[in-house]
Amino acid sequence: MSLTRKRVLVTGGAGFLGSHLCERLIARGNDVLCVDNYFTGRKDNISHLLGLPQFEAMRHDITFPLYAEVDEIFNLACPASPVHYQFDPVQTTKTSIVGAINMLGLAKRVKAKVFQASTSEVYGDPTVHPQTEDYRGNVNPLGPRACYDEGKRAAETLFFDYYRQHQVRIKVVRIFNTYGPRMHPNDGRVVSNFIVQALKGEPITLYGDGSQTRAFCFVDDLIEGILRLMDTDDSVTGPVNIGNPHEIRVHELAERVVRLTGSKSKIEYRPLPQDDPTQRCPDITLAKKLLDWQPMVALDDGLQRTIGYFANMLDGSGLRSACNNAFEPNPRGNL
Ligand code: NAD
Ligand code: UDP
Ligand code: UDP
């Protein structure tokens, strides 16, 4: 693990994953420039870093050019929850594609190594299971998820074209469902929804019959995988799947959350959103081989830690006010 002090740009640094990444990069002795337009991110996520001399935050939308002198770029800017990325689908596509071009142009000019937070969504509703990196996917290019799925696919194409055409050093990770502290209580993703509903004693909203599967990775494991990939030599580009291969049905997740919170919440069935993938689970053979990486945090442990985070918010009434504020992604950026 390199301990040289680098200037590192993290786009989407005030988001769920980005804020954990900024923290780890600072702990490794780097200078971090966090760039975010606060569309879904929050200043609260980075408030504990703001006083540090190694940390700087800049409000900026990556669909516009950015000139900064940095050694490494982690491109995480993009809403990740289906509810949020479908809120303004054109902006989601712009962020994925124009944002990628700008970050790649920046990387090319300053000769920085650049990381792309890609996604398991590039596999769409997969017909190969578990998903390996050579599977080309089954994405509906016209559906409500396409702004994200196709945006992220085009971003991968751009990364590989800048690599081949301009010799930009790239690292591409396909992130599978990740959860943990600092997800927004109204984020809309399944783990935060279920935990918040269970803690508040509200009905657990299960979409469809709950037989669809996902595999959930705790945030610390994911960040470790990302950093290990960034540390590999320049011949390693990815894409590499990073996720937890422990696959469960969404129905079972609901039951676990109810059990772990001791909640009296009942399950309430809701319609399955269009194009909701029926199954998803990473094959992490490549990550094990290349990075000597595999997740260490068991689902119940990770859920307990995430429940603790939301319970603390609730105790301090922060959860109630955050939820009551009916947080929405804000095109002009949240304060
Ligand atoms: P998040 O919504 O919490 O964070 C995204 C951040 O990007 C937010 O802070 C948001 O304000 C910022 N942002 C959005 N558009 C921007 C723009 N145009 N310019 C500048 N900032 C912008 O989501 P997250 O879970 O932290 O996801 C981070 C990245 O990881 C995303 O690229 C996402 O696609 C990818 N990813 C996440 C998961 C997961 O399970 N968490 C899975 C697959 C991929
Ligand atoms: N860019 C940027 N910062 C830089 C260099 C480039 O934001 O330091 C953006 C700029 O908007 C440019 C894009 O990245 O249009 C792609 O850069 P590239 O050099 O690949 O192509 P250009 O459009 O400049 O010919
Ligand atoms: N889901 C659910 N209830 C919720 C939120 C999500 O049953 O309140 C389901 C959703 O339909 C999907 C799975 O949980 O099958 C994961 O959804 P999420 O939005 O977290 O991420 P996705 O993997 O679909 O991008």
Side-chain angles (χ1 to χ4, degrees):
M1 188 181 288
S2 161
L3 287 176
T4 344
R5 187 172 179 141
K6 289 179 247 159
R7 298 161 304 173
V8 186
L9 166 62
V10 179
T11 77
F16 160 48
L17 297 181
S19 59
H20 286 275
L21 180 61
C22 288
E23 224 170 64
R24 284 288 301 275
L25 287 166
I26 289 170
R28 288 175 135 210
N30 299 298
D31 282 334
V32 172
L33 172 60
C34 161
V35 161
D36 204 294
N37 67 351
Y38 303 102
F39 178 56
T40 53
R42 291 177 297 160
K43 282 190 190 152
D44 276 358
N45 287 342
I46 51 166
S47 54
H48 60 298
L49 303 175
L50 280 172
L52 300 175
Q54 306 92 320
F55 184 76
E56 193 180 343
M58 180 197 283
R59 182 185 287 259
H60 175 80
D61 183 325
I62 62 156
T63 61
F64 296 97
L66 175 68
Y67 291 84
E69 308 309 307
V70 292
D71 304 302
E72 290 184 352
I73 303 166
F74 288 84
N75 187 34
L76 275 72
C78 188
S81 156
V83 179
H84 291 172
Y85 68 65
Q86 290 171 29
F87 176 85
D88 185 350
V90 174
Q91 173 68 10
T92 299
T93 302
K94 284 185 189 168
T95 294
S96 295
I97 298 179
V98 182
I101 292 175
N102 285 333
M103 289 309 109
L104 286 161
L106 170 61
K108 181 182 128 196
R109 182 179 65 79
V110 300
K111 298 192 173 20
K113 201 191 302 189
V114 57
F115 166 93
Q116 169 66 357
S118 192
T119 167
S120 53
E121 285 283 320
V122 299
Y123 301 123
D125 190 1
T127 53
V128 166
H129 196 70
Q131 291 80 58
T132 44
E133 288 84 352
D134 57 2
Y135 174 51
R136 293 183 186 177
N138 177 34
V139 170
N140 172 5
L142 306 178
R145 298 175 84 103
C147 58
Y148 184 74
D149 300 8
E150 297 290 16
K152 289 283 189 178
R153 286 170 69 93
E156 286 198 9
T157 305
L158 283 160
F159 268 71
F160 279 85
D161 283 336
Y162 270 79
Y163 168 69
R164 283 183 291 252
Q165 194 176 333
H166 298 302
Q167 293 74 53
V168 170
R169 294 175 294 151
I170 61 161
K171 306 283 178 191
V172 178
V173 159
R174 291 182 180 153
I175 301 171
F176 284 66
N177 295 68
T178 301
Y179 69 98
R182 299 209 195 111
M183 294 183 93
H184 194 281
N186 285 350
D187 179 271
R189 282 180 277 191
V190 69
V191 174
S192 44
N193 269 11
F194 285 0
I195 291 178
V196 170
Q197 289 161 349
L199 288 174
K200 293 173 86 186
E202 293 174 352
I204 307 281
T205 54
L206 188 62
Y207 302 161
D209 62 4
S211 63
Q212 68 271 34
T213 68
R214 294 292 187 274
F216 297 97
C217 185
F218 189 66
V219 58
D220 293 0
D221 281 333
L222 177 91
I223 301 295
E224 180 63 30
I226 287 178
L227 292 171
R228 285 192 191 198
L229 179 68
M230 204 59 164
D231 283 345
T232 53
D233 69 56
D234 293 348
S235 64
V236 179
T237 58
V240 182
N241 290 339
I242 298 282
N244 192 317
H246 175 197
E247 181 183 10
I248 64 165
R249 295 191 187 283
V250 173
H251 193 281
E252 190 193 331
L253 178 73
E255 285 161 359
R256 274 193 198 223
V257 169
V258 168
R259 172 171 54 78
L260 291 171
T261 50
S263 173
K264 297 205 170 14
S265 292
K266 297 277 174 279
I267 288 176
E268 193 173 281
Y269 291 88
R270 300 264 177 97
L272 190 67
Q274 187 190 332
D275 292 339
D276 199 283
T278 49
Q279 53 180 1
R280 184 186 292 148
C281 180
D283 181 317
I284 59 164
T285 310
L286 186 62
K288 280 186 181 159
K289 186 166 151 248
L290 274 180
L291 314 175
D292 189 24
W293 176 89
Q294 62 181 339
M296 307 300 287
V297 181
L299 182 58
D300 276 5
D301 295 343
L303 287 175
Q304 290 281 23
R305 286 155 74 173
T306 313
I307 289 165
Y309 168 79
F310 285 118
N312 256 340
M313 257 193 177
L314 189 62
D315 285 347
S317 82
L319 181 56
R320 253 183 225 103
S321 65
C323 292
N324 292 344
N325 276 347
F327 169 86
E328 279 189 345
N330 185 345
R332 287 176 297 143
N334 290 293
L335 295 175

